[in-house]
Amino acid sequence: MFDARAFVEEQVEALRAAVQGRAIIACSGGVDSTTATVLASRALGDRLLAVYVDTGLMRKGETGDVEETLRGLGVNHRIVDAAEEYFRALSGVTDPEKKRHIIGNKFIELFEREAASFGADTLVQGTIAPDWIESGGQLRDRIKSHHNVAGLPAVMKLKLVEPLRDLYKDEVRQVARALGVRVAERQPFPGPALAVRVLGEVMPERVAVVRDACAIVEEEIEAAARAGSMKLPWQYFAVLLPVQSVGVHGDVRVYGHTVAVRSIESVDGMSGTYSRIPHEVLDRISVRITNEVRGVNRVVYDVSNKPPATIEWE
Ligand code: XMP
């Protein structure tokens, strides 16, 4: 039986022995990175800096939630507001691979800057067992360049410490509970965030549209799952398409945005089938998006499986 309390004590000792100077960690707000952050903070106190980069591409409420969690747990942290910098770097870019590279490189640049100003010589990462076991033959990496903080240590020449390296997800959750960490466990979310759900140029107004539409998809699907009318899918979100179409609003002709709703059943994200969502749920999503999200007059449902489609549209 895995003993989470004993694990915490053991790792606090190990971290103190491994880190003489200062350490830095990138905290995304997910379970793994938050658990590693709190564990390392318990061992190192103010010798640890947790950095959360607000790219301006995050989901609704995400940055505020992370800040509240870190503050509540007494972790020394910095929220880097980099939205303007990201939008500037992405201006005029429509190619999905270019977007991914710009976002990944910008992250490394910002993180390096923070590490240098804090004087860190060690990088703590929340890598867990499946992350490195699966990194043998990642098919998906040949299809899209995944943005991941796994590339950081090589670039930064910092000493790497990975306290959760031998744990599986359920054990990480036990450690999180033992540390008093409460992270709302959300569905998988890509590193390049909402940028890959805005097809075409990534601009603040377009990100705002997809952010609101994603929140509605999440709310309605989660409510339907709670009510027992469907199972919670593996992943469910909205995508803003780079097309406009004609509609009517009152008796006025409008030329508005189109949003695609994507919902996928999968075990590991490597393959998947589209969710057979009840039509009443799709209907509520459609009505809410067209009523509540400015400029959207059409909602379509994506009925493609993976393969041949991928889960995200970019
Ligand atoms: P695709 O779109 O390739 O996505 O079928 C498979 C799963 O991976 C997520 N995804 C990413 N995760 N960094 C990540 O950590 C990324 O760059 C990235 N791109 C896609 C996607 O949301 C799905 O769960």
Side-chain angles (χ1 to χ4, degrees), residues 100 140 144-148 188-192 197 234-235 269 306 310-312:
R100 282 174 173 272
R140 61 185 191 185
K144 301 176 186 179
S145 336
H146 273 228
H147 160 89
N148 226 316
F189 189 58
R197 296 182 181 170
W234 155 269
Q235 215 170 351
K306 174 181 180 177
T310 51
I311 295 177
E312 305 289 344

Side-chain angles (χ1 to χ4, degrees), residues 3 8 18 25 38 46 62 80 100 114 169 178 219 223 225 242 268 287:
D3 182 344
V8 168
I25 183 166
V38 176
D46 285 350
E62 203 156 19
V80 181
R100 282 174 173 272
E114 294 302 322
K169 204 78 187 189
E219 282 165 26
D268 53 10
V287 169

